[in-house]
Amino acid sequence: MTLRTLDTLGDLAGKRVIVRADLNVPLKDGEITDDGRIRASLPTINALLSQGARVILISHLGRPKGAPEAQYSLAPVAVRLAELLGREVDFATDTVGDSAHEVVDQLTDGSVALLENLRFNAGETAKEESERRGFAGELAGLGDALVSDGFGVVHRKQASVYELAELLPSAAGLLIAAELTVLDRLTETPERPYAVVLGGSKVSDKLGVIGHLLPKVDRLLIGGGMLFTFLAAQGYKVGASLLEADQIETVRGYLAEATRLGVDIVLPTDVVVAAAFAPDAAHEVRPVESIEDATFGASGLGLDIGPDTAANFARIIASSKTVFWNGPMGVFEFDAFAGGTRAVAQSLTEVDGLSVVGGGDSAAAVRALGFSDDQFGHISTGGGASLEFLEGKRLPGLEVLGW
Ligand code: ADP
Ligand code: MG
């Protein structure tokens, strides 16, 4: 089966086309700090507008718990989207309520509206299929067709990603198609050596993918929050750093499996340990054997890989032919802990081959650190989705589109 593309939906002039985008941008004090995901959604939106469709955008933002929370409103996204499109974007203050219906009813051909955060509705992420189906039914009432283009969420079986695609004529948008073209190159015949670099903070999510990636890669570099579970698996004390104690045994299994497969799992030899989680916290570089010997004792927090590790990672990355990187090496949002992420980003720009950065925060990090998109082979909007794709998993949000 092949993915249904946009053209399979036929003539969309005058049709109400729901676009499930991933507009989950990072916000700080109500300001968008990286609009990459909005920009990545533009080709599909523009293609539909030029056909004379009535475009109804839906997305989630952050992780609200099934009810409205002002800090997760998509209102700032509507403003930025209007600037980027150079046209008005109507905004509905709810997702399937009176406001949404009013906004959709007033849409004219070739115009666009954004509905409020999908996750303000418990049905979007409900465990019960019937609840998701109920919410998807309400969404379906607003449109004639669905274009699914939120690559960052295709690994999730959620109402707007899965059930809605069953209820309406549906197809993949241009972003999903473009993402798959690049990721296919990584899964089919990656040029070797092939390195995957993992970091970030969704530790339990990301530890799970390692077992499936090991048979596919030559080198696996571990930074970010998950590195401490690896250090703990080797018997080191990690102070108050992020740790998934119940995953230590699993990680020991990965280390043994890597040895058996001849895969290099490259772990940090030094880390930056801080007194507190704050931009101006006192900090020092420690070898991994003596994290708790830092001035801050057992309350010390590892917030970045150390300079020796960064140099080693950079050397290994730059000498690989295919590199996929997901997850910042440290708390790059604070300058004092951005060094590891900066070094890894720099080395990816030096890869003689295909370099791919995936993940919302990873993409935001490289841009915040002053790199430009064209220095990398590809910047993917999906972190978890890319990783699951590279594992060879079936992704529900793609399967429902015929893939
Ligand atoms: P992505 O969005 O690219 O998939 P994640 O969402 O998994 O990445 O993680 C991004 C976050 O990880 C960043 O906000 C960063 O501050 C955080 N992070 C990285 N290293 C650490 C660490 N050692 N301790 C705490 N947080 C970390
Ligand atoms: Mg993230």
Side-chain angles (χ1 to χ4, degrees):
M1 295 264 276
T2 50
L3 194 73
R4 292 193 299 279
T5 49
L6 209 49
D7 48 292
T8 63
L9 291 175
D11 184 10
L12 294 168
K15 296 266 173 63
R16 299 171 305 161
V17 181
I18 300 179
V19 177
R20 192 343 173 165
D22 176 3
L23 306 174
N24 181 27
V25 291
L27 289 169
K28 198 178 176 209
D29 307 324
E31 298 282 327
I32 297 168
T33 54
D34 178 60
D35 63 5
R37 281 181 166 165
I38 306 177
R39 291 177 185 274
S41 306
L42 297 176
T44 295
I45 300 170
N46 280 320
L48 292 169
L49 291 176
S50 67
Q51 286 190 48
R54 304 177 179 199
V55 177
I56 302 153
L57 285 163
I58 55 174
S59 176
H60 71 289
L61 179 80
R63 294 187 166 190
K65 300 198 168 46
E69 276 181 66
Q71 57 169 322
Y72 296 120
S73 172
L74 279 167
V77 172
V79 173
R80 183 74 190 117
L81 183 64
E83 287 165 9
L84 290 170
L85 286 171
R87 63 166 72 225
E88 243 177 82
V89 173
D90 293 327
F91 182 66
T93 54
D94 58 33
T95 323
V96 290
D98 292 345
S99 175
H101 281 276
E102 199 174 306
V103 163
V104 169
D105 287 346
Q106 283 169 9
L107 268 182
T108 54
D109 296 357
S111 62
V112 55
L114 172 65
L115 310 184
E116 186 53 286
N117 196 338
L118 287 158
R119 292 187 187 168
F120 286 179
N121 305 269
E124 170 66 358
T125 56
K127 287 208 171 58
E128 279 295 319
E129 188 191 326
S130 60
E131 279 179 56
R132 294 198 305 271
R133 195 159 290 280
F135 179 56
E138 292 184 70
L139 286 168
L142 294 164
D144 305 307
L146 172 73
V147 173
S148 185
D149 213 23
F151 180 69
V153 285
V154 290
H155 58 316
R156 308 243 185 247
K157 202 166 194 178
Q158 297 179 343
S160 66
V161 180
Y162 191 82
E163 282 80 12
L164 181 59
E166 292 185 319
L167 293 176
L168 288 176
S170 58
L174 301 175
L175 174 61
I176 285 189
E179 295 270 17
L180 294 188
T181 304
V182 176
L183 292 178
D184 271 338
R185 286 173 60 197
L186 292 186
T187 43
E188 277 158 19
T189 45
E191 222 191 313
R192 295 185 180 275
Y194 175 16
V196 168
V197 188
L198 292 178
S201 59
K202 292 177 194 159
V203 179
S204 42
D205 280 10
K206 292 182 188 190
L207 281 175
V209 310
I210 290 176
H212 301 280
L213 283 177
L214 279 177
K216 304 190 190 291
V217 304
D218 303 306
R219 302 159 167 179
L220 187 63
L221 287 68
I222 306 288
M226 77 176 70
L227 78 87
F228 302 99
T229 306
F230 278 84
L231 295 183
Q234 294 182 310
Y236 298 130
K237 295 211 165 92
V238 299
S241 310
L242 279 186
L243 175 66
E244 299 275 325
D246 59 349
Q247 300 273 350
I248 290 175
E249 274 315 310
T250 312
V251 164
R252 288 201 180 115
Y254 293 156
L255 292 168
E257 178 71 358
T259 308
R260 200 179 63 76
L261 292 168
V263 172
D264 279 334
I265 292 190
V266 189
L267 296 173
T269 52
D270 59 349
V271 294
V272 183
V273 182
F277 191 90
D280 54 358
H283 55 277
E284 56 193 58
V285 175
R286 298 296 309 184
V288 293
E289 301 82 17
S290 60
I291 291 175
E292 292 194 0
D293 298 341
T295 322
F296 337 109
S299 63
L301 291 164
L303 295 186
D304 195 10
I305 56 174
D308 289 351
T309 303
N312 187 41
F313 280 18
R315 191 181 52 76
I316 294 169
I317 291 166
S319 70
S320 299
K321 290 279 182 195
T322 306
V323 183
F324 177 82
W325 170 33
N326 168 249
M329 293 293 99
V331 182
F332 73 92
E333 295 91 337
F334 303 154
D335 208 37
F337 311 108
T341 303
R342 186 179 286 112
V344 162
Q346 176 62 37
S347 65
L348 255 89
T349 69
E350 291 159 12
V351 171
D352 176 19
L354 178 60
S355 61
V356 179
V357 183
D361 291 293
S362 305
V366 299
R367 295 185 188 116
L369 294 171
F371 295 91
S372 66
D373 288 28
D374 59 15
Q375 289 180 278
F376 304 92
H378 179 64
I379 298 191
S380 172
T381 52
S386 299
L387 283 172
E388 292 195 17
F389 187 90
L390 297 184
E391 278 180 50
K393 263 204 193 151
R394 304 299 300 166
L395 307 184
L398 296 180
E399 278 191 308
V400 74
L401 305 174
W403 175 75

